[in-house]
Amino acid sequence: MGETAQLGVLHGNQTIYLLKETPPRPTALITEVGIRLPAHLTASGRSMLSVLPFKQVLAYFAAPGSFPRLTGSGPSTARELHQLLREDAARGWAIERGAVWEGAPYRAGRPPRQLPGVVGYKFSSNENPFDPDQAYAEFERGDDRIDEADARSRHPNLLVLRTFSKAHGLADLRVGYAVADAGIIDLVRRGAVPFGVSGVAQAAAIASLAHRDQVFARVSRIVAEREHLVGALRTQGWTPPDAQGNFFWLPIGDRAEEFAEAAGRMALAVRTFPGDGVRVSIGERAANERMLELCAGFGAPG
């Protein structure tokens, strides 16, 4: 078709470019295979972010310094990013105007597309990969849970990503896996970091899979605590959105930092998103009761 095409994926809050195909007279692009760029600054990154639930986007940008600027332009807060992603989703594609390289012409991301029950990113046609992030699949209890086997049978271009960081509790080992058609996996391997998963991480993952009954029992306890917390907060007058992970979200706007300081005084840790809210991970019952005590004293937003 005479167009330059790139394959990129989200890795946390970064866009990683895995593959690039160019015609005889290619369009000049700054990005090359193997390059990582802040996802909130690139059209391709924002196109992928725009089809995700915003609470998942917030999790990617939780750490301090999550909004670097390369040229002085681009979103610098979660609120600014949220507004841009809403515009991208409504438009069907994203635009980057000099946020990566000053004076570079803007680039338009390809239209995002959402399959029934599957969040993904459309690169050019129905034959190209979609990659739903299933990090919290074990914690989901809604009616719209993804049946991965059924989805892959109906959509052979589906790339399912799983991690051992959440339900399996192996976040420090940075290990996970992907399930897809052999041709898609071949493309992913071309951009994979050599020896990216240690032998220790592989052994731990295999051991965890061999004890899935214990994993599922732990997840059930976390889900029960999550439902207890969210229900009690709603009784107090809070309005947390439905949670399907091992955390919940409190939209408290400009009081987020004040809430985090109060949490610290009660030996509680939260992820703060100044101007938007806080993300609260589900802990043991004693810590959860202190969280309810804190929220009751802090007072739900009026």
Side-chain angles (χ1 to χ4, degrees), residues 153-173:
S153 69
R154 292 184 291 111
H155 305 287
N157 57 331
L158 193 66
L159 170 64
V160 177
L161 304 178
R162 301 302 307 273
T163 178
F164 285 85
S165 294
K166 310 304 180 184
H168 294 267
L170 301 178
D172 283 351
L173 298 179

Side-chain angles (χ1 to χ4, degrees), residues 64-65 82 99 119 126 133 138 179 184 221 236 245 250-251 293 301:
H82 192 195
V119 171
N126 289 338
D133 184 349
E138 290 85 356
V179 181
I184 296 176
R221 290 195 297 271
Q236 292 181 6
L250 286 180
E293 180 184 346

Side-chain angles (χ1 to χ4, degrees), residues 49-160:
L49 291 170
S50 70
V51 298
L52 298 176
F54 191 62
K55 61 183 179 181
Q56 183 174 347
V57 175
L58 286 174
Y60 290 153
F61 290 85
S66 292
F67 292 94
R69 284 184 168 183
L70 302 181
T71 65
S73 62
S76 59
T77 66
R79 180 174 294 179
E80 291 177 4
L81 177 60
H82 192 195
Q83 180 60 38
L84 283 175
L85 295 182
R86 292 176 65 178
E87 295 172 1
D88 295 337
R91 186 191 304 116
W93 40 277
I95 298 175
E96 180 266 301
R97 293 186 174 91
V100 175
W101 191 268
E102 289 184 354
Y106 68 81
R107 274 107 174 115
R110 302 297 292 181
R113 170 172 177 161
Q114 192 164 352
L115 297 175
V118 177
V119 171
Y121 175 59
K122 185 182 182 221
F123 294 98
S124 61
S125 73
N126 289 338
E127 297 178 356
N128 286 298
F130 294 85
D131 65 359
D133 184 349
Q134 288 288 81
Y136 297 97
E138 290 85 356
F139 298 93
E140 294 179 14
R141 296 296 184 269
D143 296 331
D144 59 348
R145 293 181 63 187
I146 298 174
D147 184 328
E148 296 173 10
D150 176 67
R152 287 199 63 240
S153 69
R154 292 184 291 111
H155 305 287
N157 57 331
L158 193 66
L159 170 64
V160 177

